[in-house]
Amino acid sequence: MRTHSEESPAKKANWAARIILVVVALVVLAIAYFAFAAILPVWWANVIRNQVEGNLGAGILVGMFYGFVFTFVPLLVAWQATRKSVNWPWKLTIVLAAVALASPNLLTAGIMFGSSQAAHNGQRILGTEATWFPLWTQISAIAAAVIFVVGVILWRVWRQRGKKMKVLKKADAERSLAAKAAKDSAASSPAPEAQSATDSQADRR
């Protein structure tokens, strides 16, 4: 049987290994962040430039598509995490999936509101090759968010109305059963006149 003094060094070694792993993971994430921050804005701006090809109408349509779809769908996915039946590990997975789905709009926002050199390069590309894309992406994203919020509100109102209707139907059913039970009880019991007549005949005998 191990003593407490024998277990303590092993536990300390495990904690030290975990701390080292966490530090290494944070360093890797920081390096990946700065690498992606330097590459992704220009890459995404070139992707949009190749899709729009300098056409103003195409810039509007592509911006509307990305802005609406990649805002509404991520919000719809993230909303699933609010369900009580979903456990916490799955809630985190759903939120991460929603963020991943919103990555096109996040990349566009990083270009338009970023202050790095890569963001400025992306702004120049979009400003000359896809002029209307950023504006209509923002407009469509706001429209998608508004539609989603309105839809959630209407759904909650409809659900509350459904619950109230169920309660009212249940109360009506209970009242109907009570009235039927009272009617059956009154029908099965003898009438007062018949009972008094029976009693008088018994007295005469």
Side-chain angles (χ1 to χ4, degrees):
M1 186 175 181
R2 294 183 179 179
T3 61
H4 180 70
S5 60
E6 292 177 347
E7 293 178 354
S8 296
K11 290 182 178 180
K12 290 180 180 179
N14 290 334
W15 277 109
R18 291 177 183 177
I19 292 172
I20 292 172
L21 288 175
V22 170
V23 171
V24 170
L26 291 175
V27 171
V28 171
L29 288 175
I31 294 173
Y33 170 78
F34 287 109
F36 285 135
I39 297 172
L40 288 179
V42 177
W43 170 80
W44 181 244
N46 285 321
V47 169
I48 298 302
R49 179 182 63 181
N50 294 333
Q51 292 180 358
V52 174
E53 296 181 348
N55 190 317
L56 295 179
I60 294 173
L61 293 177
V62 173
M64 291 174 65
F65 172 78
Y66 278 108
F68 188 89
V69 173
F70 293 101
T71 299
F72 187 83
V73 174
L75 288 175
L76 189 62
V77 172
W79 186 53
Q80 306 306 313
T82 61
R83 295 179 178 272
K84 295 180 180 179
S85 59
V86 179
N87 297 325
W88 274 107
W90 284 106
K91 289 180 184 290
L92 181 60
T93 303
I94 290 172
V95 172
L96 291 176
V99 173
L101 288 172
S103 57
N105 288 341
L106 295 177
L107 289 170
T108 302
I111 292 173
M112 300 313 300
F113 303 107
S115 58
S116 64
Q117 184 62 39
H120 291 317
N121 293 335
Q123 290 171 10
R124 283 195 292 270
I125 294 172
L126 293 180
T128 56
E129 302 293 335
T131 306
W132 290 103
F133 173 80
L135 176 62
W136 282 96
T137 299
Q138 296 177 42
I139 293 173
S140 300
I142 294 172
V146 171
I147 291 173
F148 176 79
V149 171
V150 172
V152 170
I153 293 173
L154 292 176
W155 181 83
R156 291 188 179 276
V157 170
W158 176 81
R159 189 177 180 183
Q160 292 294 330
R161 182 177 178 276
K163 289 181 178 179
K164 290 180 180 178
M165 291 299 295
K166 287 182 179 179
V167 172
L168 292 175
K169 288 181 179 179
K170 185 178 180 180
D172 289 339
E174 290 178 351
R175 283 196 296 268
S176 299
L177 290 174
K180 184 178 179 180
K183 185 178 180 180
D184 293 340
S185 176
S188 61
S189 61
E193 294 82 358
Q195 183 68 30
S196 59
T198 305
D199 293 340
S200 62
Q201 289 177 2
D203 292 338
R204 290 176 184 175
R205 291 177 185 176

